């Protein structure tokens, strides 16, 4: 028995050591009589979390930092900012969630749905003010945000939802071609994000008197055939959804639609130069910036319970003249002047990308939601 | 204090993962990549059932059995179809990604509003320990967190004990021999194929149990949560072996669990000390490297200090 | 009570390396016979043992043991009737498991294994006694991993394990070939003792002419996948070393022709 214990002693000893280290580092957060928590005279501590290193998230976080700075909260000057990135590992993201809710932070800003969830869960006891961004549908994250009432959310948790702009894409398509009737698409019903996009698309089509002709797939290899089948049913334009089953087959889709003289559009403006007629995406830098400005308000004392959860979808539009000229009937798809003014970039007929604005924001500042009951929910 | 408790609790949950990897890797000598998929499978099956109001214990059991089934399929691919063990694991893991998506119907399934072992644990904690939060040596600690920690500790203890008993039965001893010298055990009448299939079933059942408990602890199941889990499992097993330095069954089991907990503690310390989480994978590799090399170094040092002089 | 009829086996059939290892072996071995199997390299003697043990299934022909047709039985099923000691002294024991645990496995050779504890006290005691009888001083180390023992010791234990439950047939495949001369002698003495004590039907492949002459009551010489010579009783007893050498030479010449 003693021998067994001796063999375990190294391990037990190391564990005891680690436990000791952790407790020692935590001495400050012991409850002393009259102590309200944060050490006085120190800079407020802000944590910014992203899920992994995808460019969308990098942009969002850059925007958050810029937004905070604009409002006078710069890292190491007015605040102490720390970034976290678990690189997609759920093990690590759990640890990070515990660390930020426990480690004396004054404000936590999360990006993406998984980070929102893991921090919100860890935050239930501590209730550190938490803002979220880069989340498509906050009410479906299971964190207690109500779908119907934007002010119905846990008092310490609020932020921006950024619904994927499928609806806007369809509106713009109609704006370009007022005679547009039938739009085709291919999607994977297993993808909840796709489901929402198609739902929004159908609603807009119904509103504008158009018809959505769709086919479903459950694997990337079937996308080509599905596209061809949809074209065979007679369509005038094709929508490429933000669907991880369809996106990898995008070049296949381009080939097939080009042969059939059908213009395509999507919600990823970066794919437009590859062959789509246009794309309207969420400007994630701008979403971050808006979130940063909101965070500044919270740091200045605004109660998160008074902030309704809103949808903020700053557009980023890219138009493609080269693709338009390749169509058999380019006049039908002439870009209206009003649209050109809103565009972030245009691909010239020679194929060069012409960026029209430095600041990708379409002018309007982020809606800083008023303390009184909500603006109407987004379309 | 909360960070410590949660590090310990998560470490204990991942100890189940480590025990599963111990069975497949150490006992059968198979690096089983199925782990990445079965971990998520346990979580997704349990989550879906909890969302539909099924008793959390049954849901957890279902998740565990699903993982066991996946492991057995890997075993069948390997033994009956003669596919290399590593490839079999990869095939299963790939297939399971789609399976998990189908089970959950989406890539992310939140559980915080449903009844799970997590919510039961917290409720039990409040009932037994009285108030919402109380003081331990001056640190504010919530009853729920303590209850979850004790629950995880209890679960791991029971599982480890059952494994210990099992691997000392005739079937268990034969399984251990299968990984050690398959030719011998075949000549002693063991159906090696069946043992491998069952063994991988047990291993992945344990892994799935870990995934199921983690989902209930963290409040959601995500289709990506299993990615990289085999690495954590192997690291825990190797660190555990370096710590106990023994091949005996009982110590190996305890070692793997300790390795997992110690690992989580080290991660917590690293984070507390401002380590960039981006570097965490590199640090993991360093830890494992040290764990692999240290026992050999210690032995060499010992020999140098006390050279063995042959008897004349 | 071992009967082999027209056993054929070709390896790598469809490739240029096809080897017709067994070319119609017929053999009948009565109970308690101790048969020595001799032959040059490639004569098929080890293949014969592997065929009987079930390492592979024959192409044609049949194998009958103790009245049962075991031709299509998988290897692990045949283990209920057959005990084996391999040429590789490390091949018959599980190195990371203790001596006691290895024996626990032997106690269920060919039997169903269930969830009962593998090493209850009485089994442990029986194992300790048996090992003590070896006189190697191992009885105090039965909880030590068997991998720490020498090749000779492990082979001795393998022999004990193979015969713990009396097998219908004992297969010894050059089981002393990889041992030093002293250990080899010890193992031969042990083998003889066990075979005589339990009156085991035995097939022993060997390279050593000394062993071939000293042991067994029957000698079979294999050549090119067939039984070339079969000496029993008196005939075998009268064989000398020169006789064997002459047989080998003749076989070699037939091959060259």
């Amino acid at each position: 028995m003693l021998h067994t214990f001796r063999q375990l002693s190294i391990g037990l000893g190391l564990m005891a050591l680690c436990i000791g280290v952790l407790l020692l580092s935590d001495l400050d957060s012991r409850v002393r009589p009259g102590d309200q928590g944060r050490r006085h005279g120190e800079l407020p501590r802000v944590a910014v979390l992203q899920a992994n290193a995808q460019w969308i998230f990098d942009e969002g976080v850059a925007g958050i930092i810029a937004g905070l700075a604009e409002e006078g909260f710069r890292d190491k000057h007015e605040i102490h900012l720390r970034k976290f990135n678990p690189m997609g590992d759920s093990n690590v993201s759990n640890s990070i969630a515990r660390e930020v809710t426990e480690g004396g932070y004054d404000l936590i800003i999360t990006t993406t749905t998984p980070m929102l969830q893991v921090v919100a869960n860890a935050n239930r006891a501590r209730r550190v003010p938490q803002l979220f961004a880069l989340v498509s549908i906050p009410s479906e994250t299971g964190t207690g945000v109500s779908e119907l009432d934007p002010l119905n959310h846990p008092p310490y948790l609020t932020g921006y939802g950024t619904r994927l702009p499928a609806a806007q894409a369809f509106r713009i398509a109609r704006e370009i071609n007022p005679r547009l009737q039938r739009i085709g698409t291919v999607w994977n019903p297993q993808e909840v994000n796709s489901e929402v996009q198609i739902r929004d698309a159908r609603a807009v089509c119904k509103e504008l008197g158009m018809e959505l002709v769709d086919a479903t797939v459950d694997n990337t290899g079937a996308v080509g055939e599905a596209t061809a089948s949809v074209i065979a049913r007679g369509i005038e334009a094709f929508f490429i959804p933000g669907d991880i089953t369809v996106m990898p087959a995008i070049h296949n889709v381009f080939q097939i639609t080009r042969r059939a003289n059908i213009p395509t559009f999507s919600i990823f403006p970066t794919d437009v130069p590859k062959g789509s007629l246009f794309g309207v995406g969420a400007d994630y830098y701008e979403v971050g910036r808006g979130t940063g400005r909101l965070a500044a308000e919270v740091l200045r004392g605004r109660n998160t319970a008074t902030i309704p959860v809103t949808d903020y979808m700053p557009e980023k539009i890219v138009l493609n003249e080269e693709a338009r000229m390749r169509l058999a009937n380019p006049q039908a798809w002439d870009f209206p002047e009003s649209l050109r003014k809103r565009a972030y970039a245009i691909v010239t007929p020679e194929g060069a990308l012409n960026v029209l604005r430095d600041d990708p924001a379409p002018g309007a500042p982020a809606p800083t939601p008023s303390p009184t009951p909500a603006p109407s929910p987004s379309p | 204090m909360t960070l410590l408790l949660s590090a310990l609790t998560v470490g204990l949950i991942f100890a189940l993962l480590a025990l599963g990897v111990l069975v497949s890797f150490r006992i059968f000598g198979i690096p089983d990549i199925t782990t990445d998929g079965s971990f998520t499978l346990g979580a997704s099956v349990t989550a879906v059932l909890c969302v539909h109001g099924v008793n959390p214990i049954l849901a957890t059991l279902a998740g565990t059995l699903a993982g066991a089934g996946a492991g057995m399929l890997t075993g069948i691919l390997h033994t009956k179809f003669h596919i290399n063990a590593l490839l079999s694991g990869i095939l299963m893991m790939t297939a399971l990604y789609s399976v998990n998506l189908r089970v959950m119907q989406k890539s992310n399934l939140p559980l915080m509003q449903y009844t799970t072992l997590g919510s039961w644990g917290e409720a039990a904690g409040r009932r037994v320990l009285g108030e919402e939060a109380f003081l331990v040596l001056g640190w504010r600690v919530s009853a729920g967190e303590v209850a979850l920690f004790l629950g995880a500790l209890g679960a791991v203890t029971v599982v480890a004990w059952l494994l210990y008993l099992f691997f000392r039965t005739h079937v268990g001893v034969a399984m251990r021999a299968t990984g050690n010298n398959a030719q011998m055990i075949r000549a002693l009448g063991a159906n090696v194929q069946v043992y491998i299939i069952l063994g991988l079933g047990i291993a992945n059942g344990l892994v799935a149990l870990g995934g199921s408990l983690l989902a209930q602890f963290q409040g959601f199941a995500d289709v990506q949560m299993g990615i990289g889990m085999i690495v954590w499992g192997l690291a825990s097993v190797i660190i555990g072996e370096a710590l106990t330095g023994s091949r005996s069954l009982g110590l190996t089991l305890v070692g793997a669990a300790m390795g997992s907990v110690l690992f989580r503690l080290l991660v917590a310390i690293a984070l507390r000390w401002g380590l960039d989480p981006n570097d965490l994978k590199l640090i993991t590799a360093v830890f494992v490297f040290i764990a692999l090399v240290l026992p050999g170094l210690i032995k060499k040092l010992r020999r140098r200090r006390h050279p063995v002089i042959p008897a004349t | 009570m071992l009967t082999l009829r027209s056993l054929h086996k070709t390896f790598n059939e469809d490739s240029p390396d096809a080897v017709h290892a067994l070319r119609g072996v017929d053999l009948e071995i009565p109970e308690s016979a101790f048969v020595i199997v001799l032959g040059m390299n490639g004569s098929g003697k080890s293949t014969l043992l592997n065929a009987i043990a079930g390492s592979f299934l024959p192409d044609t022909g049949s194998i009958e043991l103790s009245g049962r047709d075991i031709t299509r039985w998988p290897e692990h099923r045949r283990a209920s009737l057959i005990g084996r000691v391999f040429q590789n002294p490390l091949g018959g024991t599980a190195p990371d498991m203790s001596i006691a645990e290895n024996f626990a496995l032997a106690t269920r050779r060919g039997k169903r294994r269930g969830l009962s504890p593998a090493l209850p006290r009485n089994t442990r005691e029986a194992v300790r006694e048996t090992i003590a009888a070896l006189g190697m001083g191992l009885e105090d180390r039965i909880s030590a991993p068997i991998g720490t023992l020498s090749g000779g010791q492990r082979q001795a234990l393998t022999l004990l394990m193979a015969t713990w439950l009396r097998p219908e047939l004992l297969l010894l495949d050059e089981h002393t070939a990889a041992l030093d001369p002293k250990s080899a002698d010890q193992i031969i003495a042990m083998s003889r003792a066990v075979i005589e004590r339990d009156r085991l039907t035995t097939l022993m492949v060997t390279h050593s002419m000394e062993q071939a002459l000293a042991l067994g009551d029957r000698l079979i010489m294999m050549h090119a996948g067939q039984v070339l010579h079969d000496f029993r009783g008196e005939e075998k007893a009268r064989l000398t070393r020169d006789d064997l050498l002459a047989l080998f030479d003749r076989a070699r010449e037939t091959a060259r022709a």
Side-chain angles (χ1 to χ4, degrees):
Chain A
M1 202 63 231
L2 190 60
H3 176 68
T4 317
F5 204 67
R6 205 143 42 103
Q7 288 193 283
L8 291 176
S9 59
I10 309 176
L12 290 173
L14 277 175
M15 287 207 292
L17 187 65
C18 292
I19 291 176
V21 166
L22 277 173
L23 285 177
L24 273 176
S25 76
D26 215 20
L27 280 175
D28 287 337
S29 63
R30 279 166 86 183
V31 174
R32 282 176 291 242
D35 191 353
Q36 279 315 305
R38 183 155 64 84
R39 309 134 260 217
H40 304 286
E42 271 199 17
L43 294 178
R45 301 176 73 209
V46 178
V48 177
L49 281 65
Q50 71 179 89
N52 57 48
Q54 274 188 40
W55 68 270
I56 309 177
F57 308 141
D58 291 337
E59 282 209 355
V61 169
I64 292 174
I65 297 177
L68 276 168
E70 271 172 44
E71 293 289 322
F73 287 97
R74 296 163 299 163
D75 184 22
K76 298 201 204 331
H77 294 265
E78 288 81 27
I79 53 171
H80 189 77
L81 187 92
R82 193 163 164 213
K83 295 198 287 184
F84 291 89
N85 183 345
M87 298 304 237
D89 191 312
S90 59
N91 214 323
V92 179
S93 54
N94 264 289
S95 300
I96 292 176
R98 299 285 158 169
E99 166 68 12
V100 298
T101 51
E102 165 70 12
Y105 284 87
D106 300 284
L107 175 63
I108 305 174
I109 307 176
T110 62
T111 59
T112 76
T113 303
M115 294 314 285
L116 160 62
Q117 290 170 319
V118 72
V119 173
N121 188 41
N123 207 6
R124 270 175 306 159
R126 281 314 193 126
R127 303 176 175 221
V128 178
Q130 181 183 345
L131 291 181
F132 58 82
L134 270 61
V135 172
S136 309
I137 310 168
S139 56
E140 281 183 19
T141 57
T143 50
V145 174
S146 157
E147 191 180 343
L148 302 168
D149 180 4
L151 274 173
N152 187 348
H153 58 76
Y156 54 90
L157 178 70
T158 186
Y160 289 124
T162 304
R163 210 168 172 104
L164 293 173
Q168 276 89 317
F170 277 69
R171 280 185 207 285
I172 293 177
R174 177 61 148 216
E175 197 182 323
I176 297 176
N177 184 350
R179 294 221 289 268
L180 184 57
Q181 284 293 331
R182 291 165 66 80
I183 306 177
T185 190
V186 167
W187 60 293
N188 182 350
Q190 298 295 329
E191 281 288 311
V192 66
N193 277 330
S194 304
E195 208 185 338
V196 174
Q197 290 171 65
I198 300 302
R199 210 187 323 151
D200 290 350
R202 273 197 233 276
V204 171
C205 284
K206 188 159 171 216
E207 184 194 319
L208 300 177
M210 301 190 289
E211 198 185 324
L212 182 69
V213 179
D214 67 299
T216 58
V217 290
D218 65 1
N219 73 88
T220 308
V223 171
E225 287 173 4
T227 308
S229 78
V230 162
I231 293 177
R233 281 147 69 189
I235 52 169
E236 296 148 300
F238 188 88
F239 170 61
I240 306 175
D243 176 314
I244 57 173
T245 312
V246 175
M247 297 300 298
I250 199 168
H251 287 284
N252 204 357
V253 172
F254 281 154
Q255 264 186 328
I256 299 176
T257 51
R258 194 176 302 182
R259 257 182 274 149
N261 192 40
I262 309 267
T264 59
F265 60 99
S266 72
I267 57 167
F268 288 107
T270 40
D271 284 337
V272 170
K274 295 189 201 141
S276 288
L277 181 67
F278 73 90
V280 53
D283 186 342
Y284 291 106
Y285 180 85
E286 195 50 35
V287 173
R289 209 160 137 238
T291 312
R293 301 213 294 263
L294 192 61
E297 279 189 50
V298 173
L299 285 171
R300 277 198 281 261
R302 183 161 173 201
N303 190 344
T304 48
T306 63
I307 304 178
V309 172
T310 40
D311 192 271
Y312 181 35
M313 217 297 292
E315 312 178 308
K316 186 174 180 179
I317 301 175
V318 176
L319 306 172
N320 192 339
E321 286 282 3
E322 190 196 10
R324 185 173 80 85
M325 299 316 268
R326 252 205 306 262
L327 295 171
N329 51 342
Q331 323 84 305
W333 295 95
D334 203 0
F335 300 127
E337 198 51 43
S338 54
L339 188 61
R340 282 176 199 269
K341 288 221 196 80
R342 277 156 65 195
Y344 166 71
I346 297 189
V347 179
T348 64
E350 296 79 38
L353 182 66
N354 198 357
V355 177
L356 299 174
R357 34 176 98 249
D358 267 330
D359 176 3
T368 39
S370 55
T372 50
S376 51
S378 57
Chain B
M1 184 57 148
T2 306
L3 185 62
L4 172 65
L5 266 184
S6 74
L8 289 174
T9 311
V10 172
L12 284 169
I13 293 178
F14 277 103
L16 292 167
L17 167 74
L19 287 173
V21 172
L22 184 72
V23 172
S24 59
F25 185 64
R26 269 289 170 249
I27 293 185
F28 283 91
I30 296 177
D32 189 10
I33 314 283
T34 315
T35 305
D36 281 12
S38 49
F39 188 77
T40 313
L41 185 63
S44 62
V45 167
T46 303
V48 158
L49 291 176
C50 283
V51 164
H52 284 88
V54 173
N55 179 311
I57 293 184
L58 290 179
T60 308
L61 196 61
T64 309
L65 290 174
M72 285 171 66
L73 278 176
T74 305
I76 291 176
L77 284 178
H78 176 47
T79 56
K80 300 288 183 191
F81 292 91
H82 304 293
I83 299 175
N84 169 276
L86 201 56
L87 282 178
S88 304
I90 292 175
L91 278 176
M92 271 317 289
M93 175 201 77
T94 314
L96 283 173
Y97 187 84
S98 303
V99 169
N100 284 321
L101 270 177
R102 264 185 199 271
V103 166
M104 292 201 289
Q105 296 286 301
K106 33 186 169 152
S107 57
N108 179 302
L109 197 57
L111 286 175
M112 282 188 275
Q113 298 145 312
Y114 301 97
T115 312
T116 65
L117 286 178
S119 56
W120 272 12
E122 295 188 341
R126 275 194 293 273
R127 216 174 320 145
V128 171
L129 298 166
E131 329 91 56
E132 175 82 35
F134 55 97
L135 298 175
V136 173
L137 298 177
W139 279 287
R140 188 159 19 107
V141 159
S142 90
E145 285 170 349
V146 174
L148 289 176
F149 166 69
L150 291 174
L153 185 63
V156 172
T157 310
V158 167
V159 168
W161 181 242
L162 286 176
L163 277 179
Y164 181 70
L165 288 177
F166 173 73
F167 280 112
R168 300 178 79 216
T169 63
H170 281 288
V171 180
V173 173
M175 273 197 189
R176 284 162 57 205
T178 307
N180 212 219
N181 187 343
Q183 179 189 44
M184 163 230 195
I185 197 66
R186 218 178 279 130
L188 285 179
N191 189 337
V192 166
Q193 291 191 333
V194 166
Y195 281 170
I196 290 180
I197 294 172
L198 279 179
L200 287 181
I202 292 175
N204 283 282
L206 288 168
V207 167
L209 178 60
S212 164
L213 291 183
L214 184 68
Q216 295 179 72
F217 174 73
Q218 68 179 12
F220 67 94
D222 188 289
V223 75
Q224 309 232 350
M225 67 193 275
I227 295 182
M229 284 303 130
I230 181 78
V231 174
W232 295 114
L234 286 172
S236 304
V237 168
I238 290 172
I239 290 179
E241 283 181 353
L243 290 176
T244 59
S246 165
R247 284 303 187 114
S248 97
L249 178 66
L251 285 174
T252 317
L253 290 171
V254 173
M258 276 204 317
S260 175
V261 173
L262 189 59
F263 209 19
R264 302 269 83 224
L265 287 173
L266 291 170
V267 167
I269 291 180
L271 281 176
R272 174 52 60 87
W273 249 250
L275 180 79
D276 189 345
N278 284 356
D279 296 333
L280 210 54
K281 292 262 158 105
L282 180 61
I283 302 294
T284 307
V286 171
F287 280 158
V288 177
F289 171 71
I290 294 176
L292 283 170
V293 175
L294 204 58
L297 282 175
I298 293 178
K299 223 181 278 181
K300 246 192 248 175
L301 280 170
R302 228 176 266 158
R303 220 176 288 154
R304 209 175 294 165
R305 234 182 277 153
H306 307 281
V308 177
I309 304 165
T312 35
Chain C
M1 39 68 154
L2 171 70
T3 311
L4 305 175
R5 276 189 260 268
S6 305
L7 224 48
H8 281 265
K9 179 67 186 180
T10 306
F11 293 109
N12 298 327
E13 254 195 85
D14 301 314
S15 85
D17 310 307
V19 172
H20 196 166
L22 295 175
R23 297 171 194 236
V25 175
D26 291 282
L27 198 55
E28 253 192 67
I29 299 177
E31 261 219 54
S32 301
F34 184 168
V35 183
I36 302 290
V37 181
L38 271 184
M40 295 183 336
N41 285 335
S43 56
K45 53 190 197 301
S46 280
T47 314
L48 182 65
L49 247 62
N50 284 331
I52 298 172
S55 304
F56 57 81
L57 295 181
D59 296 332
T60 54
S62 72
I63 305 172
E64 216 181 272
L65 179 58
S66 297
R68 267 164 283 195
D69 183 351
I70 66 170
T71 322
R72 299 275 139 210
W73 283 21
E75 186 177 350
H76 61 84
R77 198 171 164 200
R78 298 192 203 191
S80 57
L81 304 171
I82 300 175
R84 285 185 83 173
V85 183
F86 305 91
Q87 178 174 1
N88 180 356
L90 307 178
T93 46
D96 291 330
M97 299 171 60
S98 71
I99 299 178
E101 285 171 332
N102 272 272
F103 270 85
L105 291 168
T107 61
R108 303 294 278 205
R109 172 176 62 78
K111 293 204 198 160
R112 258 187 170 272
R113 286 181 170 87
L115 289 173
S116 49
L119 273 179
R121 186 160 312 171
N122 51 349
T123 310
R124 255 196 132 77
E125 276 313 304
V127 168
R128 186 172 286 130
E129 275 174 37
T130 312
I131 293 184
L134 278 180
M136 292 181 181
L138 293 173
E139 59 273 13
D140 303 316
R141 295 163 60 185
I142 64 168
S143 295
I146 226 178
T148 57
L149 303 182
S150 71
Q153 289 169 321
R154 284 173 75 167
Q155 198 69 310
L157 293 176
T158 307
L159 183 60
L160 282 182
M161 283 163 55
T163 53
W164 181 276
L165 299 175
R166 185 181 182 281
E168 299 284 318
L169 177 66
L170 179 64
L171 298 177
L172 304 170
D173 191 354
E174 301 196 53
H175 66 307
T176 60
L179 298 174
D180 63 275
K182 182 156 182 260
S183 304
D185 284 340
Q186 283 177 330
I187 299 294
I188 291 294
M190 264 183 72
S191 310
R192 218 186 198 153
V194 159
I195 293 170
E196 277 176 24
R197 181 195 73 201
D198 293 346
R199 301 169 56 75
L200 298 177
T201 314
T202 310
L203 265 176
M204 173 169 151
V205 171
T206 182
H207 253 138
S208 153
M209 289 208 262
E210 227 182 280
Q211 290 174 4
L213 293 170
L215 302 168
D217 49 53
R218 189 163 161 190
L219 187 139
I220 287 174
M221 177 175 276
M222 298 261 325
H223 181 70
Q226 286 180 317
V227 176
L228 200 57
H229 302 288
D230 189 348
F231 301 103
R232 297 170 214 237
E234 267 296 307
E235 249 197 306
K236 182 205 181 278
R238 265 186 279 126
L239 283 174
T240 66
R241 195 177 152 80
D242 290 328
D243 291 327
L244 290 181
L245 284 171
L247 288 172
F248 270 114
D249 284 334
R250 220 183 307 153
R252 222 171 290 142
E253 281 180 35
T254 333
R256 231 173 281 149

